[in-house]
Amino acid sequence: MKKAPSKTTHLDALRDLLREAGLRSTAPRVAVLQHFQTRRRPLSHGELVEALADREFDAATLYRNLIDLESAGLVSRVNVGDNVWRFELRDQDTETQSEHPHFVCVECGEITCLAQVRVKLTPAPGSLKSVVNHVSEILLKGQCMRCA
């Protein structure tokens, strides 16, 4: 029977991930990565500060770490149209790493990652060529299942 990975092993893996990205392994960075691993949607800086309040990290420290983690390619920054940056953990498997669309419910504001959805843009029939060369972000809006 295979043993579940210990908490220490998990923390060591996060520390190694930080070092491989060229960052120092600090308590706030490890805590941010740990928290993102448990979430299925992008979080704002404010949501992260609130979620990690019991750890007593300074809000400015958490923000600087989010920016550092984004620069290192460990998290992505997403704007869902409300001028609030949200962050999410990037898939570290470079074979499958790709951007994915997000869904925002226009009723309740819930944001959902659509990691299993791929959107393909193709020129309309009769058009000479597409004006789109590269898409870096797709945002879908509508009603979620709870609000429908």
Side-chain angles (χ1 to χ4, degrees), residues 67-104:
I67 299 305
D68 290 344
L69 292 168
E70 182 203 10
S71 295
L74 297 177
V75 301
S76 294
R77 187 165 51 167
V78 178
N79 182 348
V80 296
D82 60 358
N83 297 319
V84 175
W85 285 111
R86 288 177 176 79
F87 300 84
E88 64 185 341
L89 194 61
R90 288 183 62 103
D91 184 356
Q92 296 307 305
D93 182 356
T94 55
E95 296 286 319
T96 62
Q97 187 179 71
S98 64
E99 300 302 327
H100 58 269
H102 293 90
F103 177 82
V104 178

Side-chain angles (χ1 to χ4, degrees), residues 33-89:
L33 291 178
Q34 271 185 304
H35 189 71
F36 278 135
Q37 286 183 328
T38 66
R39 299 296 171 255
R40 298 246 185 259
R41 65 179 184 88
L43 299 174
S44 69
H45 168 250
E47 290 171 317
L48 187 64
V49 169
E50 186 178 312
L52 299 179
D54 63 326
R55 306 286 296 272
E56 298 182 1
F57 296 127
D58 179 66
T61 299
L62 289 177
Y63 184 76
R64 283 191 303 272
N65 280 287
L66 285 169
I67 299 305
D68 290 344
L69 292 168
E70 182 203 10
S71 295
L74 297 177
V75 301
S76 294
R77 187 165 51 167
V78 178
N79 182 348
V80 296
D82 60 358
N83 297 319
V84 175
W85 285 111
R86 288 177 176 79
F87 300 84
E88 64 185 341
L89 194 61

